[in-house]
Amino acid sequence: MNRFTLSALLGAAVTSLTISAAEAQDLTEAQLNVIGSASFMPLYSEREYPFWTQTLGAASEGKITAEVRPFNEAGLTGTELLRLIQQGVADAATPILGYLAADDAMSEAVDLAGIAPDVATARAVSDAWEPVLDAHFRDKNDARVLGILAYPSQVLLCKDGFDSLADLEGRKVRTGNRSLAELMESFGASSVTMPIGDVVPSLERGVVDCAITGSLTAYNQGWYEVVDYVSDLGLGWSQLATIVSLRSWEAMPEANRSFIETQYAAFAEEVWDEVDEQTEVGFDCLTGRAECPLGEAAGMTLVAASDADRALLQEKLGETVVSAWAERCGEGCAEAWNGAMAEIVGVRAE
């Protein structure tokens, strides 16, 4: 990512909830095998890796430890993590939920394109969908959800100027999941799917005109060298879920389970507290609107979303995004959405 440490720049510190000696005696020694999120994101290096390898061990007086390896360094794409948990290959994993959508459309509901234009809404829909997803995974995949996390806001970056979402008509846009593709196509754009490592050369060669990624990722990946405009309208948060094998979970004593849940809740709270800050740091560094704590700021133009854009996005959510998801998700999905998400997002699934 970057030679600078984001958590240090933001004043963050890995927190451990200590337990009493008596409580430690109730714990059983255990070592967990964990497949982590992508190593090139600060979430892994600054939060997830220290949590599994340091926080748990320190707080449990060495009784509960873990080995963790990011999925990309294990030769995986991230799409297969739920299956690996179900097969018992690992005790826990943290996949991007959108990556699981091809196998399980219930997974992508929390990050449908445009449903959460700000971090408060992203947190609300994540909290609302977590019990639904937990029950679903328990029933279908012999797994449980320990918690849902998020990356910084996913935003649109383009080579040529634009004033509104309507200006995307006719442009080729790199998207990272099916829901974003459907949203872009509803604006008259063409969607192109490609790995993030291929985006910069594709923008240079004109294979795509625009691309969507996190504001902080765009800076760290050097996208500002090939694009000049970035929208501040949040199109997604690439939520991740830490999923635990029920076989592993139920084999542990209650004291261990309670301890891990408590420690994870504190860890997740820290992650969410930083998401909005990291998004704003990304914008600062891409545009130079404020000092960039990660290095030299770029000079991109920030395109502020208008009320008309927000209204258009809300219209597309109802017409295209949520309805398309409900159709491909199948039986029970619309009912689950309407019970958990409709009031927050302002769109019912029919």
Side-chain angles (χ1 to χ4, degrees), residues 34-72:
V34 181
I35 303 174
S37 60
S39 63
F40 52 80
M41 295 296 291
L43 171 61
Y44 179 81
S45 59
E46 304 299 335
R47 287 297 179 190
E48 190 179 7
Y49 182 79
F51 170 73
W52 291 113
T53 62
Q54 300 170 26
T55 303
L56 284 183
S60 65
E61 298 184 354
K63 286 194 171 181
I64 297 180
T65 59
E67 290 185 354
V68 58
R69 187 178 183 188
F71 76 82
N72 57 304

Side-chain angles (χ1 to χ4, degrees), residues 252-337:
M252 289 189 284
E254 176 58 33
N256 283 32
R257 297 199 294 265
S258 178
F259 168 79
I260 293 172
E261 286 176 332
T262 301
Q263 296 294 324
Y264 186 91
F267 153 74
E269 193 67 30
E270 291 171 345
V271 171
W272 277 103
D273 285 347
E274 289 181 359
V275 164
D276 200 30
E277 289 180 275
Q278 292 179 1
T279 298
E280 295 307 308
V281 167
F283 286 134
D284 292 344
C285 293
L286 287 171
T287 67
R289 67 178 186 181
E291 183 180 356
C292 174
L294 303 179
E296 184 177 354
M300 294 185 65
T301 298
L302 185 65
V303 181
S306 65
D307 290 341
D309 266 347
R310 297 184 187 280
L312 178 60
L313 179 60
Q314 190 69 15
E315 176 186 317
K316 296 301 183 183
L317 292 183
E319 288 182 355
T320 302
V321 175
V322 175
S323 58
W325 168 79
E327 182 175 353
R328 66 174 173 269
C329 189
E331 184 178 356
C333 293
E335 182 180 1
W337 171 277

Side-chain angles (χ1 to χ4, degrees), residues 21-324:
E23 289 173 314
Q25 289 179 354
D26 293 333
L27 298 177
T28 300
E29 289 190 3
Q31 184 175 59
L32 304 175
N33 176 26
V34 181
I35 303 174
S37 60
S39 63
F40 52 80
M41 295 296 291
L43 171 61
Y44 179 81
S45 59
E46 304 299 335
R47 287 297 179 190
E48 190 179 7
Y49 182 79
F51 170 73
W52 291 113
T53 62
Q54 300 170 26
T55 303
L56 284 183
S60 65
E61 298 184 354
K63 286 194 171 181
I64 297 180
T65 59
E67 290 185 354
V68 58
R69 187 178 183 188
F71 76 82
N72 57 304
E73 293 183 10
L76 303 172
T77 65
T79 60
E80 62 280 87
L81 298 189
L82 182 58
R83 294 194 300 271
L84 294 180
I85 288 295
Q86 189 172 11
Q87 294 164 6
V89 174
D91 299 308
T94 305
I96 295 174
L97 287 169
Y99 284 13
L100 308 179
D103 292 333
D104 192 320
M106 286 286 279
S107 300
E108 68 175 323
V110 72
D111 196 33
L112 292 180
I115 67 170
D118 55 67
V119 71
T121 307
R123 184 70 187 271
V125 297
S126 298
D127 288 345
W129 198 248
E130 182 178 326
V132 177
L133 196 60
D134 180 64
H136 176 72
F137 283 164
R138 285 174 183 268
D139 182 49
K140 302 292 186 181
N141 304 98
D142 296 322
R144 62 150 302 182
V145 176
L146 197 56
I148 294 179
L149 312 172
Y151 283 136
S153 181
Q154 302 291 297
V155 295
L156 177 73
L157 304 95
C158 289
K159 295 166 65 176
D160 297 326
F162 61 97
D163 295 319
S164 71
L165 294 174
D167 294 339
L168 297 178
E169 184 173 1
R171 301 197 194 190
K172 301 183 292 292
V173 183
R174 179 265 180 181
T175 56
N177 60 52
R178 184 170 180 175
S179 179
L180 280 171
E182 290 166 342
L183 179 63
M184 291 298 105
E185 289 166 5
S186 75
F187 298 133
S190 300
S191 172
V192 181
T193 301
M194 67 178 63
I196 192 168
D198 295 341
V199 173
V200 169
S202 295
L203 285 163
E204 288 178 321
R205 298 194 306 268
V207 176
V208 292
D209 306 304
C210 306
I212 296 170
T213 193
S215 61
L216 191 61
T217 301
Y219 177 76
N220 281 299
Q221 297 275 331
W223 286 22
Y224 52 82
E225 296 178 354
V226 292
V227 289
D228 293 314
Y229 299 86
V230 55
S231 169
D232 68 355
L233 183 62
L235 298 178
W237 299 84
S238 285
Q239 277 97 326
L240 313 91
T242 298
I243 302 167
V244 183
S245 160
L246 275 184
R247 185 184 312 161
S248 301
W249 187 252
E250 292 173 352
M252 289 189 284
E254 176 58 33
N256 283 32
R257 297 199 294 265
S258 178
F259 168 79
I260 293 172
E261 286 176 332
T262 301
Q263 296 294 324
Y264 186 91
F267 153 74
E269 193 67 30
E270 291 171 345
V271 171
W272 277 103
D273 285 347
E274 289 181 359
V275 164
D276 200 30
E277 289 180 275
Q278 292 179 1
T279 298
E280 295 307 308
V281 167
F283 286 134
D284 292 344
C285 293
L286 287 171
T287 67
R289 67 178 186 181
E291 183 180 356
C292 174
L294 303 179
E296 184 177 354
M300 294 185 65
T301 298
L302 185 65
V303 181
S306 65
D307 290 341
D309 266 347
R310 297 184 187 280
L312 178 60
L313 179 60
Q314 190 69 15
E315 176 186 317
K316 296 301 183 183
L317 292 183
E319 288 182 355
T320 302
V321 175
V322 175
S323 58

